Amino acid sequence: MDTKDVAVLKLNDTTEVSVHLHGATIISWKCKAQEVLFVSKNALFDNKKAIRGGIPLVFPCFGPWEKGPQHGFARIKRWRKESESKQNNGRASMSFSLEDDEETRKMWDYRFKLVYNVDLGENDLKLTLTVNNNDFKAFDFTTLMHTYFRCPDIADVGIHGLEGLQYNDKVEGGKISKEERKVVSIDKNYDRVYMKCGADKVEVEGLGDGKKSVSLVLSNLPDVVVWNPWEDKAKAMSDFGDEEYKTMICVEAGSVSQSVTAPAGGSVLFTQTLKLC
Ligand code: BG6
C-alpha cells in the first residue's frame, strides 16, 4: 500500500483513524490502542478493486447493479481530501469528497457531490455522508456504510437490538422473516437486511479483544445488513482468506430496502456513530 493514498488522523497516542482515498475507505480505527475494524490479509490495494475490509461506502446502488459495478462506484473511485481540523472539544475530523465525472455519468447520468466527514472522538467515530444533488433533476439511490468489524472468534459475537424486526434473507432468495432472537449469533453464511432498525438499538459484542462491544447510533440509516460469507463463500473470494470468516462480522448500516430521493439542488444526510465500550 502506498502511504500517499492514506490519510491518517491522530487524536492522541492510542486513538487514530486511517482513510484510504480509494473509495474513502476507512481501513483502520484504533480506539484506545484497540483495532476495531477487520481488513483481510488478502485485500488488494491496487486502487481498482474495492478494499476487502474496513468501511467501504456503497453508493448509488446496494447489491448487483444493472448500470455499473456491484455496490455502485463510490467505493472504487478516488476521493479527494478536503479538510482536516482539531476541535476544542477534544475531537478531530477530516472530510473527503467525490464528484461526478465522465466515467460516473456514463453509468449514471447525474451531477452530484458526496461529502464524507470522519469525526474522531476518544471513544467513538462519527461518520456523516452528505449526498448533494447538483443536477436539475431528482435522483434515486441506495447507500450503505459497509462496516467490517474484527473479532477473535465469531462464535462469541452477538448482535443485540434486532429482535422483532423483519429481515430479507438473501441466502434464502429474499424470503422475509421475523427475527425472534434477543441476541443474533452467527454460525453459517449470513446475508440479511434487517429493516426499520432503531436509531440507537444495535450493539455488537465480542469485538476487538473479544471483550469489547460497539454500539451503532444511526440517523437516516434504517436498515442494517448482517453479512458473513462463512466457509464455502470465503474460499470462493480471491481477496479473502479461507479462514478469515471466523474473525470478522459485517454489520452495515444503510438505506437500502427502499431508495432515497435527492431532489434537484438538494442534499440528504446519513450518519452512523460507532461507540466502543
Ligand atoms: C453485503 C451483501 O453487503 O456485501 C452481500 O449483502 C455481498 O450480498 C457482500 O456478498 C460483499 O460484497 P462484495 O461486492 O464486496 O463482495
Side-chain angles (χ1 to χ4, degrees), residues 52 62 70-71 75 144 146 148 170 191 225 227 252:
R52 180 64 68 199
F62 169 70
Q70 151 119 333
H71 289 339
R75 64 177 183 162
L144 170 136
H146 199 302
Y148 288 75
K170 301 211 292 178
D191 193 354
V225 178
W227 179 63
E252 315 158 19

Side-chain angles (χ1 to χ4, degrees), residues 72-90:
F73 47 67
R75 64 177 183 162
I76 50 170
K77 292 291 288 181
R78 190 164 183 96
W79 290 53
R80 196 175 58 212
K81 183 174 167 189
E82 292 229 329
S83 66
E84 176 170 339
S85 63
K86 272 214 166 180
Q87 288 104 36
N88 296 333
N89 58 3

Side-chain angles (χ1 to χ4, degrees), residues 110-157:
Y110 296 103
R111 311 253 164 189
F112 66 85
K113 181 172 182 181
L114 306 182
V115 179
Y116 190 38
N117 192 258
V118 175
D119 181 48
L120 184 62
E122 263 186 46
N123 299 304
D124 71 276
L125 182 64
K126 182 178 180 191
L127 307 172
T128 305
L129 178 69
T130 307
V131 176
N132 298 295
N133 180 344
N134 291 345
D135 216 312
F136 296 106
K137 51 191 189 276
F139 59 67
D140 293 340
F141 62 95
T142 47
T143 188
L144 170 136
M145 299 182 187
H146 199 302
T147 310
Y148 288 75
F149 291 110
R150 70 189 285 155
C151 57
D153 188 351
I154 188 70
D156 297 330
V157 168

Side-chain angles (χ1 to χ4, degrees), residues 49-53 56 58 62-64 69-71 75 144 146 148 170-171 189-193 225-229 233 237 239 250 252:
K49 199 172 164 48
I51 296 169
R52 180 64 68 199
V58 168
F62 169 70
Q70 151 119 333
H71 289 339
R75 64 177 183 162
L144 170 136
H146 199 302
Y148 288 75
K170 301 211 292 178
V171 175
N189 175 207
Y190 265 66
D191 193 354
R192 298 180 175 186
V193 182
V225 178
V226 176
W227 179 63
N228 183 302
K233 291 204 168 141
M237 286 193 283
D239 59 349
C250 282
E252 315 158 19

